[in-house]
Amino acid sequence: VQLVESGGGLVQAGGSLRLSCAASGFRFDDYTITWFRQAPGKEREGVAGIEIPYGSTFGEGRFTISSDTAKNTVHLQMNSLKPEDTAVYYCAGSDGFGYGLDPNKYSYWGQGTQVTVSS
């Protein structure tokens, strides 16, 4: 099982970024994929997740999560970014559903991608 994040970078406040999580090594349609983030000195927190076969999403606020089942990829569209959104963003996955934003429920994690929002 492999999850690889991409799309992070440096952006000014008010800007946008689109993160991607490319999945391989498992049956994509059996999984929930969720984005988490961790800022320096803070606990990891859930951002948004999607139950792949149903397309049902959870945890979205300013950000929008979507999946491309043809490419086994999950995207996180982040608009109106704020300096407090600065963090390392991780995607995580587990087979099954109903896990919500609890990081302890997820078995597989990517290496993370840095998002930095300047004021």
Side-chain angles (χ1 to χ4, degrees):
V1 175
Q2 190 173 24
L3 299 170
V4 179
E5 302 96 336
S6 62
L10 173 64
V11 64
Q12 289 188 333
S16 299
L17 281 174
R18 188 190 194 208
L19 305 185
S20 297
C21 173
S24 61
F26 61 91
R27 183 176 168 82
F28 194 60
D29 283 350
D30 289 342
Y31 271 63
T32 296
I33 302 292
T34 297
W35 285 94
F36 293 85
R37 67 184 184 185
Q38 188 164 20
K42 295 187 177 182
E43 292 187 356
R44 190 167 296 190
E45 64 173 346
V47 177
I50 185 166
E51 296 178 344
I52 299 298
Y54 311 116
S56 56
T57 63
F58 52 90
E60 293 175 295
R62 286 181 290 118
F63 302 159
T64 302
I65 191 170
S66 63
S67 65
D68 182 344
T69 54
K71 296 182 179 180
N72 283 12
T73 301
V74 172
H75 301 290
L76 184 70
Q77 179 66 43
M78 304 190 296
N79 298 328
S80 303
L81 283 162
K82 304 175 181 180
E84 51 263 43
D85 294 319
T86 295
V88 178
Y89 284 70
Y90 301 89
C91 66
S94 263
D95 59 344
F97 313 105
Y99 300 132
L101 297 176
D102 182 356
N104 296 312
K105 301 289 189 180
Y106 291 85
S107 301
Y108 305 104
W109 292 80
Q111 81 290 349
T113 185
Q114 177 70 47
V115 171
T116 302
V117 184
S118 63
S119 57

